[in-house]
Amino acid sequence: MKKYLYRIVLGVVSFLVVIVLGAVMYLTYALPDVDPAPDLIIDRTPERISQGAYLVNNVLICMDCHSERDWTKFSGPLVEGSLGMGGELFDEGIGLPGRYYAPNITPYGIGDWTDGEVFRALTSGVNRDGKALFPLMPYPDYANMDEEDIYSVIAYLRTLEPIEYDVPESKSNFPMNLIINTMPVKPNLQKKPDKNNAVNYGQYLVNSAGCKSCHTRFENGSYFDDMELAGNREFPMPDGSVVKSANITFHTETGIGTWTKETFIERFKAYEDPELLNTIIEPGAFNTVMPWTLYSKLTHEDLEAIYEYLKSVEPIENQIVQVTQQ
């Protein structure tokens, strides 16, 4: 009887081992399941390069992560000469399941990538070697953008000054090193809404800018979807304090529900003032990860559309204490 039970247990254990090994093999070798990089050569017209510069620097704010920021100054403006060099580390200190470095996106870093490989990375989350990218770069959002805007981004990146800077390889902790292969997406590219439809166009901009990423509570690798845009994501600062993102829903008491369109626009445009941007922040004084230096150059038309979209979103009550000490 004991021998019979032993065989049953051994059989069950062996079956489970086979299932686990099969799952690991599938996650490791069969995924990510996305299309090959398209055969693509993008014509670098002046119009595309100009639009790409605006998107990269002021909407998608790629340079917020892919450049060096000076945290001795308010809002951490970009350090001159670091545009696109990468190297910033995002790790367990901000709740991520690994150590992720922003890559070098100048021609030194991606100059030997084809346009199609860059396109796939931006819209699917897979690099030129077929490896999954952690969605710190919000490629699930970029996957819903207009194809022409993605083309413009790539055209502009090709014009950056090459910076010889080698970035360490990003690594995910277990089990994220397996789960990450399930994250890449197949693009669902959509036409940019007509600017005359301010709400829809504003939604497109909010998605492209990744506002949800910073303004939604995030813990243990997941967003609180029922609190989208209601703030409270934590960001450790170099001085040891923790800054929490603001509630940007139109709740009248805890969000921006009392802001007029003019107030909203002026809040962004105030940071075009070079004197404000060069203000030295003393240790312990309030600072923010919000890249006002980049967003300040959004056009009035785009800021108006963002305002109209945010106004259309259901208000969420969520009182934020913006700064706490560790």
Side-chain angles (χ1 to χ4, degrees):
M1 183 66 177
K2 288 183 178 179
K3 184 181 291 187
Y4 178 70
L5 289 174
Y6 173 77
R7 288 177 178 174
I8 292 176
V9 171
L10 183 61
V12 170
V13 171
S14 299
F15 176 75
L16 292 176
V17 168
V18 169
I19 293 296
V20 171
L21 288 176
V24 170
M25 293 289 286
Y26 175 75
L27 290 171
T28 304
Y29 298 107
L31 297 178
D33 181 21
V34 299
D35 295 331
D39 184 10
L40 186 63
I41 298 177
I42 295 170
D43 189 9
R44 302 175 200 172
T45 65
E47 293 77 18
R48 276 186 176 150
I49 292 171
S50 176
Q51 172 69 356
Y54 178 68
L55 290 169
V56 167
N57 293 300
N58 309 120
V59 182
L60 279 63
I61 56 164
C62 308
M63 295 310 168
D64 175 47
C65 292
H66 292 278
S67 305
E68 185 179 356
R69 295 176 70 179
D70 183 357
W71 291 110
T72 67
K73 299 176 182 177
F74 186 73
S75 185
L78 304 185
V79 175
E80 187 175 354
S82 72
L83 201 67
M85 66 181 282
E88 185 169 357
L89 172 63
F90 303 86
D91 59 12
E92 296 89 345
I94 58 172
L96 297 178
R99 295 172 63 81
Y100 304 101
Y101 292 89
N104 186 332
I105 57 172
T106 74
Y108 178 81
I110 60 171
D112 56 352
W113 290 40
T114 68
D115 287 347
E117 288 168 342
V118 179
F119 182 90
R120 184 175 66 167
L122 287 170
T123 60
S124 293
V126 175
N127 70 11
R128 72 177 310 214
D129 299 319
K131 294 182 179 179
L133 302 174
F134 188 76
L136 190 63
M137 178 184 74
Y139 57 79
D141 297 328
Y142 300 162
N144 297 309
M145 289 180 63
D146 191 309
E147 182 177 76
E148 181 57 39
D149 274 347
I150 301 297
Y151 287 175
S152 294
V153 166
I154 297 169
Y156 170 69
L157 292 179
R158 298 306 198 190
T159 71
L160 293 178
E161 187 71 25
I163 300 177
E164 294 188 16
Y165 183 70
D166 296 310
V167 177
E169 183 180 355
S170 296
K171 292 189 179 297
S172 298
N173 300 331
F174 179 82
M176 182 52 67
N177 62 326
L178 299 175
I179 297 171
I180 191 173
N181 290 326
T182 70
M183 292 181 168
V185 298
K186 292 188 177 181
N188 182 31
L189 298 169
Q190 302 174 32
K191 285 295 182 183
K192 185 187 301 183
D194 190 318
K195 292 185 178 182
N196 291 321
N197 187 328
V199 172
N200 286 354
Y201 179 55
Q203 183 179 25
Y204 178 85
L205 291 171
V206 166
N207 170 80
S208 302
C211 300
K212 172 187 172 180
S213 300
C214 289
H215 288 277
T216 303
R217 187 177 173 186
F218 180 88
E219 289 182 11
N220 300 318
S222 299
Y223 290 101
F224 286 58
D225 289 335
D226 60 337
M227 300 297 286
E228 185 169 329
L229 300 176
N232 210 34
R233 181 167 183 177
E234 296 185 350
F235 295 92
M237 300 297 288
D239 67 356
S241 64
V242 175
V243 174
K244 297 179 181 179
S245 58
N247 182 347
I248 57 172
T249 72
F250 268 66
H251 191 271
T252 54
E253 296 177 3
T254 65
I256 60 172
T258 61
W259 289 30
T260 65
K261 187 183 297 183
E262 290 71 25
T263 301
F264 183 80
I265 293 173
E266 288 172 3
R267 182 79 166 94
F268 283 84
K269 289 301 180 181
Y271 295 96
E272 287 186 302
D273 183 349
E275 290 189 13
L276 179 60
L277 301 183
N278 288 321
T279 301
I280 301 297
I281 300 296
E282 298 297 329
F286 173 73
N287 205 343
T288 178
V289 297
M290 175 73 169
W292 291 110
T293 54
L294 304 177
Y295 284 139
S296 68
K297 294 181 174 58
L298 283 164
T299 66
H300 277 75
E301 182 180 38
D302 285 359
L303 286 170
E304 288 176 0
I306 291 170
Y307 177 89
E308 292 298 340
Y309 170 68
L310 293 176
K311 192 175 180 180
S312 75
V313 173
E314 182 178 354
I316 299 174
E317 182 177 2
N318 192 27
Q319 186 67 53
I320 309 295
V321 178
Q322 276 206 284
V323 184
T324 57
Q325 296 297 322
Q326 288 185 325

